[in-house]
Amino acid sequence: MTRGILQVYLGAAPGVGKTFSMLEEGRRLLDADLDVVVGLVETHGRAETARLTEGLELFPRRSVGHRGVTLDELDLDGLIARHPDWALVDELAHTNAPGSAHEKRWQDVEDLLDAGINVISTVNIQHIESLNDVVQSITGVTQRETIPDSVLRSADQIEVVDLTPEALRTRLAGGHIYPAGTIDAALSNYFRLGNLTALRELALLWLADEVDVALQAYRNEHGIRGKWEARERVVVALPGGTEGETLIRRGARIAARTSGGQLLAVHVSSSDGLAESDPGALDTQRSLVERLGGTYHQVIGDNTPTALVDFARGVNATQLVIGVSRRSRLTTFLTGQGIGQTVIRASGDIDVHIVSHASAGTLQLPTTGGALTVRRRAVGFALALIGLPLLTWILSGFRSSESLPSDVLAFQLLVVVVALIGGIWPAVTAAVIAGLLLDFFFVNPLYTVTIADPLHLLALVIFLVIAVLVSLVVDQAASRSRSAKRSAAEAETLATVAGSIIRGENAVEALANRMLEIFGMASVIVSYDGERLFEAGASTATGDEKRTVVELGDNGSVVLTGRDLQASDRRILNAFVSQIEAALVQQELRTAASGIRPLEEADRLRTALLAAVGHDLRTPLSSATAAVSSLRSTDVSWSDRDREDLLQTAEVSLHRLADLVNDLLDASRLQAGVLPISLGRVGLDEIVPLALDELKVPLDRVKVDVSAELPEAFCDAVLLQRVIVNLVANAVRYSPADAPLFITASSFGERLELRVIDRGPGIPPAKLAEAFQPFQRLGDTDNTTGVGLGLALSNGFMEAMGGSLEAEDTPGGGLTMVVTLPTSGPLPAPEPSNEVPLRRES
C-alpha cells in the first residue's frame, strides 16, 4: 500500500492562522472533487475558524472518560475504516487521553499515513523537541507536548503560516485568538512582542535549514557545482597560526550582516602528515568558531589554494575570508605570488576578503626618505654587475672597427634599463663600469684604459651624462609617486579616525590606537592634568626604544615609544594631537552639560510641583477650613447630622492633605536618589488582601487569582502594598461598574508577575510614556486625583526594589498593569531601614 502524504502548517505561536489555513486547503481539495474529512479540528471558540468547517464532513470524535471528565479524541479506527482521500487532523503535538491507542496524536497520524490516507496537520514551533529548551529560555514556559524532529522532517510538505508580532498582538487584544476572560498572566507573558519576534525568527530559520538540506541534496543529485546565493555562507581559511582568531571574528561579522548567515572555518593540512600549524591555536580557534555559532572543518590537500576553493564550492559558499600572507617581501619576490593571489584567481564568483593581522605586520605610512625601494636598488645593482659582463662577452665575439657605435648604444641601453629599475646610484655605477669595459675591450688601443681618440673620450662623457639624467628623472618620478601615496595614506588615516569618532567610539581611545598602528610604535600614552587618560600598546618600554613627547595643550602630553619619527611624520602626528585636544575640550563640555541637566530637571520638577501643589492643596485645605469655620460659628445652629457631615468633610480633606504630603515627600526622595526601604521575602497572597482591605473595594468588583503556592517575592512589603493600592484604585476609577477587575499572579523562572487588569478605556500608545512621568493626569482634571504622582511613584518604588512596572493593553479592551518582582536576592542587614541609592527619575 502506498504511504499517504503528510502536509504540515507550521506556526510561531497560537493564533497565526494554522488551523484556518488547514481548513482553507481542505475546502480547496473538496472543490477539486476529492474526499476530504475533518478528523479533528480545534476552533478554540473562534467564529471565523468555525465558519470554515461548514460544508466539510466532520468525523465524529471518540469520547474517553478520565477522572470523572469526558474528553473528546480522534477516532483513529473509525477514520481508517472510513478511509478518505484527505484527513484534516489539528494539533499534531497533542497528548491523547489515557486509554487511547497511542500516547501522542502524531502517532495516530503515522497510522493514518501507513493506511494510505493523506493528512494535513498543524504544529507550533515550540512543540519541536530540539527547540524545546530554546523556547523555554525565550518565553519562560516549559512545553510538555512535543514531537520528535524526525516526524516533522519526514513531512512531504511544510509551510510556515507567518504573521507579524504586531498583527498577532492586535488579534489577541481584539479577542480573536482567545476569549478575553481566559487571558491569564502566563498567556499574556507568552504573547509579549519580544517573545513573538524571537519565535517567529526561530520558525523561519528552522524551515530555512530544512530547505537548505533539500537544496543541497538536489545539488548533489544533479552534480551542480556553481554558487547559488540562497543565503550567505562565509568560509574562513585558518592558516594554523594565532592570526586565525582575527580571521574568525571578521568572518563572523560578515555572516551576521544578513539574517541566517552561516560561518564555516576550514584548515587545510598537507597529505604527507607534516604539520606546519600550531595544534593548540587550532584547538582554541575551533572552540571560538563553535561559540560564535559556526562549524569547524579540516581537509587534506597538497595544494592549499585549490583545496580551499574546492571546499568553498562544495558548501556553496558566497564569501571566503583569508589572511594576508605571513611571508616576507623577499620571499614573495623570489617565489612568486602567494596563496591569496592564487585563491582570488581560482575563486570565480566567490567573493574573497583578504584580512590583515598582527602576524603580517602593521601597515605603516610610506616613508619619504629614498625615492626607490631597497629591493629596486638591489635589483638595479644586480643587473649592472651581471648584465654588463655578460653583454661584454657577447659583443666581444662580434667586435670590428665599424662596430664601436653599435657597442656603445648596446651599453647605453643596458645602463638606461638599470637607471629605470634602480635609480641614480645603480645607474652611475653601471655607467662607470660600462665606460671602463668599452674603453678596455672595444676602444683602441685594446686592453688598456688609454683613449687615443679625443672623440671617444667625449662619447664616454656623454654616455655618463645620459645615464645620470635618466636616473634622475626616474628617481624624481618615484619620489613624487611615493609622496602621492603618502598623501593618500594620510588622508585615508584621517578619514578613518573621523569616521570612528562619528560612529560613537571613544575619541581619545580611537586616536591613540590609530597612532599606534600608523606610526608602528610600541606604545602610546595620553596624559592630561596629571592623569593618564589612555594607554595603548606595551605597558613597559625597554631602554633601546626611542621616545617622542608632544605637548597636549598646556597641561598634557602624548608620549610615543618605539622608533624615531621622521620629519615627514610630524605633520600627521600634529593633526592627531590637535584632534585629541579637540576631543578633550568636547569631553569637558559634555561633563559640564551633564552637570547642568540635573539642575534643569530639578528646576522643572520644582516648577511643576509648585503649580500642582498650588492647585491641589487649595481644594482640600479650603474644604477643611470651611468645615472647621462652620463648626466654630455661633451664628448658625447645626443639627447633629449637619455637624457629622462637616466633621466628615474636614476629616476627608485632612486625610487627603496627609496623603498628598506623603506623596510629595516620596517624590522628593526619589528625585534626591535615596529612598528608605526594607527588603525581605513576602507572599503575594498576603499583600494583595491587605491592599484590597485598605481600599475597601467591594468583593463583587474584583476577582483575585493569587495562589499561595507561588514563590515569595523579594521586596519591601510596605512599598509593594502602596503600589498595589495605587494600581487597584486607578483600575476601580476607570473601569465600568459592571466590569470586574482581575488580579492574577504567576511565576517565570526567578521572577514573579502580578497583573492588575481592568476593562476601562485604556491608555493610548502615544500616552504610555507620559503616564509614568510626575504630574501627569492624562486628561483627568477632578480635584480628588492628587498631583499626578501615582504611577510615577509606583514606578520608582518598583525600581527601588529591583522590579519593574509596565503597562499593556488588555485583550478585549482595557489596561493591564504588570508588576514584575524578583524571587531571590541577598537579605539586608537587620536594620530598621537602609538608604538605597536609586537611579534618578526623568
Side-chain angles (χ1 to χ4, degrees):
M1 180 181 297
T2 304
R3 179 178 168 87
I5 298 173
L6 176 59
Q7 181 177 343
V8 179
Y9 287 97
L10 175 66
V16 296
K18 302 180 303 299
T19 304
F20 199 90
S21 299
M22 179 186 71
L23 292 173
E24 282 188 327
E25 179 66 9
R27 298 180 70 89
R28 188 189 66 80
L29 294 172
L30 184 64
D31 292 340
D33 294 330
L34 295 175
D35 186 12
V36 180
V37 171
V38 178
L40 189 145
V41 65
E42 299 290 353
T43 63
H44 297 288
R46 302 165 193 163
E48 298 89 345
T49 304
R51 279 196 294 269
L52 280 179
T53 62
E54 298 175 2
L56 293 172
E57 178 183 346
L58 300 178
F59 199 77
R61 301 188 184 189
R62 180 176 58 90
S63 298
V64 179
H66 178 63
R67 295 181 179 178
V69 178
T70 301
L71 303 175
D72 292 333
E73 295 290 354
L74 176 69
D75 186 359
L76 178 61
D77 294 335
L79 192 56
I80 292 177
R82 169 68 174 75
H83 205 282
D85 294 330
W86 288 86
L88 310 185
V89 181
D90 206 3
E91 297 186 358
L92 190 60
H94 173 77
T95 300
N96 293 329
S100 301
H102 299 293
E103 179 185 0
K104 298 288 187 178
R105 186 168 292 167
W106 62 264
Q107 295 172 315
D108 296 338
V109 170
E110 287 292 316
D111 285 356
L112 293 174
L113 296 174
D114 291 338
I117 301 174
N118 303 318
V119 178
I120 304 177
S121 189
T122 65
V123 70
N124 282 327
I125 192 67
Q126 68 264 26
H127 296 301
I128 300 177
E129 181 65 40
S130 64
L131 300 178
N132 187 257
D133 57 339
V134 180
V135 174
Q136 194 276 334
S137 65
I138 294 173
T139 64
V141 179
T142 302
Q143 298 292 335
R144 294 179 174 81
E145 293 186 333
T146 60
I147 63 171
D149 289 51
S150 58
V151 174
L152 196 54
R153 294 182 195 277
S154 65
D156 299 276
Q157 181 178 343
I158 304 175
E159 181 177 342
V160 171
V161 181
D162 189 32
L163 190 65
T164 64
E166 293 81 2
L168 185 57
R169 284 178 57 84
T170 300
R171 291 197 66 203
L172 178 69
H176 300 298
I177 299 178
Y178 297 107
T182 65
I183 303 295
D184 59 10
L187 192 57
S188 296
N189 181 79
Y190 189 91
F191 277 86
R192 286 185 173 181
L193 185 62
N195 292 355
L196 295 177
T197 302
L199 292 173
R200 184 190 188 198
E201 181 182 18
L202 201 61
L204 294 174
L205 288 178
W206 189 91
L207 185 62
D209 287 336
E210 292 305 299
V211 173
D212 187 53
V213 171
L215 175 62
Q216 192 61 39
Y218 177 85
R219 285 165 52 84
N220 293 336
E221 180 181 350
H222 292 80
I224 298 174
R225 300 284 293 170
K227 181 183 71 172
W228 286 7
E229 296 189 32
R231 71 160 78 178
E232 290 290 349
R233 285 186 180 83
V234 182
V235 173
V236 178
L238 301 180
T242 56
E243 67 271 24
E245 295 187 18
T246 301
L247 303 181
I248 291 171
R249 289 189 173 91
R250 180 59 180 273
R253 291 196 296 271
I254 295 174
R257 291 173 185 169
T258 58
S259 179
Q262 187 175 359
L263 176 67
L264 303 94
V266 58
H267 173 66
V268 179
S269 301
S270 58
S271 59
D272 57 11
L274 300 177
E276 299 178 355
S277 58
D278 183 357
L282 285 176
D283 186 61
T284 302
Q285 291 158 23
R286 177 200 294 267
S287 301
L288 176 61
V289 170
E290 292 173 352
R291 289 199 305 270
L292 293 174
T295 56
Y296 177 88
H297 307 267
Q298 191 158 348
V299 298
I300 298 176
D302 291 327
N303 188 303
T304 300
T306 302
L308 283 176
V309 174
D310 289 344
F311 176 84
R313 293 193 182 282
V315 297
N316 197 28
T318 59
Q319 313 273 347
L320 181 57
V321 178
I322 61 178
V324 173
S325 176
R326 289 178 289 176
R327 303 186 307 170
S328 65
R329 292 182 176 180
L330 179 60
T331 304
T332 303
F333 173 77
L334 295 175
T335 60
Q337 293 181 337
I339 293 176
Q341 296 298 324
T342 308
V343 168
I344 290 175
R345 288 200 312 271
S347 62
D349 53 359
I350 300 176
D351 296 334
V352 180
H353 302 264
I354 299 181
V355 180
S356 182
H357 50 80
S359 300
T362 303
L363 177 63
Q364 300 180 6
L365 291 173
T367 60
T368 57
L372 298 177
T373 63
V374 175
R375 193 188 75 173
R376 285 187 61 175
R377 291 197 295 270
V379 172
F381 277 116
L383 181 60
L385 296 176
I386 297 174
L388 289 173
L390 181 60
L391 181 61
T392 301
W393 176 73
I394 294 174
L395 294 178
S396 296
F398 304 96
R399 183 174 53 202
S400 66
S401 58
E402 292 84 11
S403 64
L404 182 59
S406 61
D407 294 337
V408 172
L409 290 176
F411 276 94
Q412 183 71 71
L413 177 61
L414 182 57
V415 171
V416 170
V417 172
V418 171
L420 292 174
I421 294 176
I424 184 169
W425 293 116
V428 171
T429 302
V432 172
I433 295 175
L436 294 175
L437 291 175
L438 279 170
D439 182 31
F440 193 82
F441 289 100
F442 298 96
V443 177
N444 292 319
L446 298 177
Y447 309 117
T448 67
V449 292
T450 302
I451 300 176
D453 190 346
L455 292 177
H456 290 172
L457 177 61
L458 179 62
L460 289 177
V461 172
I462 295 174
F463 181 86
L464 290 173
V465 172
I466 292 175
V468 171
L469 292 176
V470 172
S471 61
L472 286 175
V473 171
V474 172
D475 198 68
Q476 289 179 1
S479 177
R480 291 173 180 173
S481 176
R482 178 63 58 85
S483 298
K485 290 181 179 178
R486 180 178 178 85
S487 299
E490 291 177 356
E492 180 182 358
T493 298
L494 295 176
T496 302
V497 171
S500 63
I501 297 174
I502 291 174
R503 288 191 297 270
E505 299 180 18
N506 182 280
V508 176
E509 180 178 346
L511 290 166
N513 282 324
R514 196 60 178 167
M515 289 169 64
L516 187 74
E517 297 173 359
I518 290 299
F519 299 113
M521 307 302 287
S523 67
V524 175
I525 301 174
V526 180
S527 303
Y528 195 74
D529 282 342
E531 179 183 356
R532 182 172 292 186
L533 298 180
F534 184 75
E535 179 177 354
S539 58
T540 59
T542 64
D544 298 333
E545 294 174 324
K546 305 296 183 180
R547 296 183 59 189
T548 302
V549 181
V550 184
E551 292 185 357
L552 186 62
D554 297 330
N555 302 318
S557 64
V558 177
V559 181
L560 297 91
T561 305
R563 64 180 179 88
D564 278 331
L565 291 179
Q566 302 176 10
S568 57
D569 293 325
R570 292 283 180 168
R571 183 175 66 256
I572 192 169
L573 176 60
N574 292 334
F576 271 100
V577 174
S578 299
Q579 290 286 336
I580 292 178
E581 288 181 2
L584 291 175
V585 171
Q586 291 178 1
Q587 184 175 339
E588 291 177 351
L589 293 175
R590 284 195 299 269
T591 302
S594 63
I596 294 174
R597 288 194 190 98
L599 298 177
E600 293 178 343
E601 181 66 16
D603 184 67
R604 185 189 69 81
L605 289 175
R606 259 194 308 271
T607 302
L609 179 61
L610 290 174
V613 168
H615 176 274
D616 293 295
L617 281 178
R618 185 179 298 113
T619 298
L621 188 59
S622 299
S623 299
T625 302
V628 172
S629 298
S630 299
L631 290 173
R632 290 175 57 86
S633 175
T634 58
D635 297 336
V636 180
S637 177
W638 303 103
S639 65
D640 292 340
R641 181 178 181 81
D642 292 337
R643 187 180 299 275
E644 181 65 25
D645 290 341
L646 291 172
L647 288 174
Q648 184 177 3
T649 299
E651 181 181 15
V652 170
S653 299
L654 291 175
H655 278 305
R656 179 67 198 129
L657 284 173
D659 292 340
L660 179 60
V661 171
N662 287 333
D663 285 347
L664 293 175
L665 288 175
D666 287 335
S668 66
R669 292 190 184 102
L670 285 173
Q671 179 63 24
V674 294
L675 184 74
I677 65 173
S678 180
L679 297 176
R681 305 193 187 283
V682 181
L684 294 182
D685 60 316
E686 302 173 1
I687 296 298
V688 172
L690 292 176
L692 296 179
D693 290 343
E694 179 180 342
L695 287 171
K696 297 181 174 55
V697 180
L699 296 179
D700 59 344
R701 287 298 313 273
V702 60
K703 295 183 179 180
V704 180
D705 182 14
V706 179
S707 173
E709 298 179 358
L710 289 172
E712 292 181 326
F714 188 74
C715 63
D716 184 310
V718 176
L719 293 183
L720 179 60
Q721 182 174 335
R722 288 192 60 185
V723 171
I724 297 174
V725 166
N726 178 65
L727 298 181
V728 174
N730 284 340
V732 170
R733 182 181 301 120
Y734 292 109
S735 287
D738 57 346
L741 312 178
F742 294 87
I743 302 178
T744 65
S746 57
S747 63
F748 302 95
E750 295 185 354
R751 69 183 190 274
L752 284 171
E753 289 191 351
L754 179 73
R755 279 176 156 75
V756 179
I757 305 169
D758 66 53
R759 300 296 177 188
I763 300 178
K767 296 288 187 179
L768 279 178
E770 297 180 9
F772 292 96
Q773 295 178 4
F775 316 115
Q776 299 292 329
R777 291 199 186 90
L778 300 179
D780 193 354
T781 57
D782 65 75
N783 292 328
T784 64
T785 56
V787 292
L789 285 173
L791 287 182
L793 285 175
S794 298
N795 189 43
F797 293 160
M798 293 308 304
E799 290 186 350
M801 294 185 289
S804 64
L805 178 63
E806 298 177 356
E808 297 179 352
D809 291 331
T810 299
L815 183 68
T816 298
M817 301 301 299
V818 184
V819 176
T820 303
L821 290 162
T823 60
S824 62
L827 286 173
E831 297 179 359
S833 65
N834 296 320
E835 291 294 318
V836 180
L838 300 179
R839 178 174 62 82
R840 186 175 298 278
E841 293 293 321
S842 60

